[in-house]
Amino acid sequence: MSERATPVKPTEEQEREQSRETERPSDGGADAAGPGPNADGATATEPVTTGAEAVVRALENAGVEYAFGVQGGAIMPVYDALFDSEIYHVTMAHEQGAAHAADAYGVVAGDPGVCLATSGPGATNLVTGIADADMDSDPVLALTGQVPTAFVGNDAFQETDTTGVTTPITKDNTFSSDPDRVGSDVSEAFALAREGRPGPTLVDLPKDVTNAVTDREPDEPRVPDTYHVQEEADPEIVEAAARRIEEAKKPAMLLGGGVIKGNASDVCREFAIEHEIPVITTMPGIGSFSEDHELSLEMAGMHGTGYANMAITHCDTLIAIGTRFDDRLTGGIETFAPDAEVIHVDIDPAEISKNIHADYPLVGDAATVVEQLREAVETSPKAKKWRAQCQQWKSDYSMAYEVPEDEPVQPQFVVEALDEATSDRAVVTTGVGQHQMWACQYWTFTEPRTWVSSHGLGTMGYGLPAAIGARLAADDDQEVVCIDGDGSFLMTIQELSVAVREDLDITVAVLNNEYIGMVRQWQDAFFEGRHSASDYHWMPEFDKLAEAFGAKGFRIDDYDEVADTIEAALAYDGPSVIDVHIDPQANVYPMVPSGGDNGQFALTEDQL
């Protein structure tokens, strides 16, 4: 990759200083501030003097390198303190984009992403992104401005009860009312976002608190003494689970998003390979096990592979790790893994037997508990016939598709072409809809933290701002590709201006069918083809719109344009957008109707 004016993930102090001086763009605001002494000779090592400076010091102590946000009245003191900080602030076009960028940064980096917004509409615009992070257990710290404490409750200008609004969708939130405590509140919130089961936390910052004088340095980021996370599972249950695995004739491992968040991918892979157990993933668990390995059955659930769903339906022992068994995975609970004894590993005891009964409940850190199982399992299950059966299902329910030359471009072909043109470590972000499912099904994922999407909340518009956050978290040699839909892309397209301003090397492929495609598919299947409000034939020309933003625009209409266009877009040193006009009637299969039996998946509309 050629050198360009792109914010890079710093590794050494010298590199950080150099990148600020030579690479990062300057707009005369917070982004123009470099490290070291400012005009008054102040440095980051001097005592804090305001609550806002304590907030920023807390972020610095936590090792925060990037923050995503939008300026505003009540948050201005914090932004003023950021002016002298080495933290690089990425000004987003919309607060929702800031939350999604922070979310994706956290997914790829493994540390909490940070987003900022002002009070009132600034804070409420973060809500969708915070709720998304909460559903997917992604580590995010949100800092919101608030009206002065004396005005709280008086319906002041741009006042919203932010902590009240966000309590149901945060792991923890705090109304910080003491300037001597505000920095430590932020430190604690950062620690809570990443420890145990990750999730979003929020600190609401009244303007009088951030403006107030203090000489208190913030505490180091650590969780409260009352916060306890169980690391190891009950040894007796581990031993019982191990005996069950040894006796299994039809074992299967189900790896969820908690495997990746708990950095347990390696130990899970080793366990599966050592004992030759077929592996299935949930959608958040994509990348936890190499999909090119013969034991991989890929993703299960509503649009999972037929062979993954058959394995779940017929297994006698299901080793489920880091999954909450949501409805898109299970279909009807009564028909999910009906013959299996379930070994459920999860760090959150609230998830055990919440949806699917756990015969062997193993509460603890995923990597730690799987290591316990590795030590306890003495002999591999005798499952040669079962493995052969799983391979037969792979053949019977192949994900192959037709490519008629006289019909529009098939989306699967485009996804596979993008995969072929990029490295195994490329990071893929998506919006939500048909394009998301095609990306799951036809991109071969081999590494964790390379799949970044909205799972539980299903947030359209996630893909582009997520690509911005992912780009800043990823290594320089990792490509970042956003596979989006026309409806999703239009929801947050304004963030393309951010990618251009920051000169971020991302490639966006818009699978454009001029529909809200998944809605259209369901309308055809379940609503007699009545396309109420799903027809998007008024879509703009995205390649030309990209050029208006200052990005590089491309368009694909035919198969013979696919390879060369993708190559040119990936080679462009900056943000590029490919407007790919696909078959508007293409549908996502296999499909399990909502609440249906995973073993009775449909391969065509006639089977629904």
Side-chain angles (χ1 to χ4, degrees):
M1 188 181 298
S2 59
E3 290 190 7
R4 51 190 166 76
T6 304
V8 295
K9 184 178 180 180
T11 58
E12 301 288 346
E13 181 66 21
Q14 185 176 7
E15 291 176 357
R16 197 154 51 227
E17 292 180 1
Q18 181 181 7
S19 64
R20 283 203 172 270
E21 294 175 25
T22 63
E23 291 190 327
R24 292 174 174 168
S26 172
D27 61 4
D31 292 347
N38 61 20
D40 297 325
T43 69
T45 59
E46 291 186 351
V48 295
T49 58
T50 68
E53 289 177 353
V55 168
V56 173
R57 183 68 57 79
L59 298 178
E60 292 171 339
N61 291 346
V64 173
E65 297 173 3
Y66 297 100
F68 306 86
V70 179
Q71 253 282 29
I75 198 69
M76 283 181 71
V78 176
Y79 271 91
D80 187 64
L82 273 174
F83 189 90
D84 297 317
S85 175
E86 292 183 2
I87 296 170
Y88 186 72
H89 179 266
V90 181
T91 300
M92 302 295 289
H94 191 281
E95 290 91 352
Q96 181 181 341
H100 291 328
D103 180 320
Y105 182 94
V107 170
V108 176
D111 286 317
V114 177
C115 58
L116 300 92
T118 194
S119 61
T124 57
N125 281 345
L126 289 177
V127 166
T128 296
I130 294 171
D132 190 286
D134 184 58
M135 287 286 277
D136 290 347
S137 300
D138 293 338
V140 173
L141 169 60
L143 302 177
T144 53
Q146 184 55 276
V147 300
T149 51
F151 292 174
V152 171
N154 293 331
D155 295 329
F157 177 67
Q158 290 191 333
E159 181 193 356
T160 296
D161 179 8
T162 302
T163 54
V165 168
T166 59
T167 291
I169 56 170
T170 51
K171 182 178 177 181
D172 182 78
N173 69 13
T174 301
F175 180 89
S176 193
S177 59
D178 183 354
D180 286 340
R181 175 66 196 171
V182 65
S184 296
D185 287 341
V186 171
S187 295
E188 185 176 283
F190 185 93
L192 282 166
R194 69 182 177 187
E195 297 299 323
R197 179 179 182 171
T201 58
L202 181 143
V203 182
D204 203 27
L205 304 168
K207 195 171 184 179
D208 59 321
V209 173
T210 52
N211 269 330
V213 174
T214 181
D215 60 1
R216 289 284 297 276
E217 291 287 333
D219 295 336
E220 291 300 310
R222 59 175 180 267
V223 298
D225 293 338
T226 54
Y227 183 81
H228 299 289
V229 176
Q230 183 173 329
E231 297 289 330
E232 294 187 354
D234 185 317
E236 291 187 7
I237 303 177
V238 169
E239 288 295 327
R243 302 293 82 76
R244 177 60 200 174
I245 293 170
E246 293 169 350
E247 297 166 2
K249 297 294 187 287
K250 301 176 181 179
M253 290 181 70
L254 176 64
L255 307 185
V259 171
I260 296 173
K261 290 172 173 59
N263 296 315
S265 298
D266 288 346
V267 68
C268 286
R269 292 183 192 187
E270 292 166 4
F271 185 85
I273 293 169
E274 179 182 354
H275 297 294
E276 297 184 278
I277 300 174
V279 176
I280 305 156
T281 71
T282 68
M283 189 164 72
I286 286 175
S288 58
F289 190 84
S290 300
E291 292 182 336
D292 58 2
H293 195 282
E294 64 179 357
L295 288 172
S296 173
L297 300 177
E298 301 165 51
M299 180 183 76
M302 177 175 284
H303 291 293
T305 65
Y307 33 95
N309 282 330
M310 289 296 281
I312 282 182
T313 301
H314 294 282
C315 69
D316 65 6
T317 304
L318 184 64
I319 308 164
I321 305 167
T323 176
R324 59 189 178 87
F325 290 113
D326 74 294
D327 59 297
R328 287 299 171 102
L329 168 68
T330 64
I333 290 175
E334 67 283 353
T335 59
F336 181 82
D339 301 324
E341 292 196 28
V342 176
I343 300 166
H344 190 185
V345 179
D346 205 285
I347 199 166
D348 187 351
E351 294 297 341
I352 302 293
S353 295
K354 183 180 79 174
N355 293 324
I356 298 297
H357 173 71
D359 298 287
Y360 303 88
L362 298 176
V363 178
D365 171 73
T368 303
V369 177
V370 176
E371 282 287 4
Q372 287 180 273
L373 285 171
R374 285 189 70 187
E375 293 177 4
V377 174
E378 297 174 356
T379 60
S380 297
K382 295 178 175 60
K384 185 176 180 179
K385 290 183 179 180
W386 168 246
R387 289 191 295 273
Q389 175 65 78
C390 290
Q391 292 302 315
Q392 184 61 50
W393 282 326
K394 274 191 174 184
S395 176
D396 293 343
Y397 305 112
S398 166
M399 294 297 289
Y401 56 94
E402 295 182 357
V403 186
E405 293 184 2
D406 58 345
E407 293 183 11
V409 174
Q410 295 302 304
Q412 303 96 318
F413 184 88
V414 178
V415 172
E416 288 187 330
L418 283 162
D419 186 12
E420 180 68 23
T422 54
S423 69
D424 289 344
R425 298 184 65 241
V427 177
V428 178
T429 75
T430 76
V432 168
Q434 286 180 314
H435 67 277
Q436 179 190 32
M437 296 299 103
W438 288 316
C440 287
Q441 294 173 333
Y442 291 96
W443 192 289
T444 302
F445 291 90
T446 61
E447 297 290 338
R449 302 192 186 280
T450 57
W451 165 249
V452 185
S453 194
S454 171
H455 305 112
L457 196 64
T459 307
M460 291 178 65
Y462 179 88
L464 178 57
I468 291 171
R471 175 69 277 167
L472 295 176
D475 295 335
D476 283 350
D477 62 350
Q478 288 183 279
E479 304 98 331
V480 174
V481 176
C482 171
I483 298 175
D484 222 337
D486 47 317
S488 275
F489 189 54
L490 198 62
M491 286 192 172
T492 53
I493 195 171
Q494 68 271 11
E495 304 304 341
L496 193 56
S497 63
V498 178
V500 170
R501 186 193 70 227
E502 302 290 342
D503 194 19
L504 299 180
D505 193 7
I506 61 174
T507 302
V508 183
V510 183
L511 303 185
N512 187 349
N513 56 13
E514 296 188 340
Y515 281 104
I516 296 293
M518 191 62 81
V519 171
R520 192 271 306 155
Q521 179 172 335
W522 278 57
Q523 287 173 332
D524 286 344
F526 306 114
F527 292 88
E528 301 179 346
R530 293 157 59 87
H531 295 164
S532 176
S534 62
D535 185 331
Y536 274 37
H537 290 164
W538 42 268
M539 282 289 106
E541 296 181 61
F542 290 117
D543 55 329
K544 294 182 179 178
L545 197 52
E547 297 280 349
F549 274 103
K552 186 69 173 177
F554 300 89
R555 179 179 172 125
I556 291 175
D557 290 289
D558 301 304
Y559 284 109
D560 58 8
E561 299 171 335
V562 172
D564 290 345
T565 304
I566 286 175
E567 182 181 356
L570 289 169
Y572 180 71
D573 195 15
S576 60
V577 175
I578 313 171
D579 190 0
V580 189
H581 287 254
I582 63 168
D583 182 354
Q585 299 305 313
N587 286 331
V588 179
Y589 290 106
M591 178 178 176
V592 179
S594 183
D597 182 342
N598 279 357
Q600 301 295 321
F601 50 87
L603 298 175
T604 66
E605 185 176 316
D606 293 340
Q607 296 176 355
L608 289 171

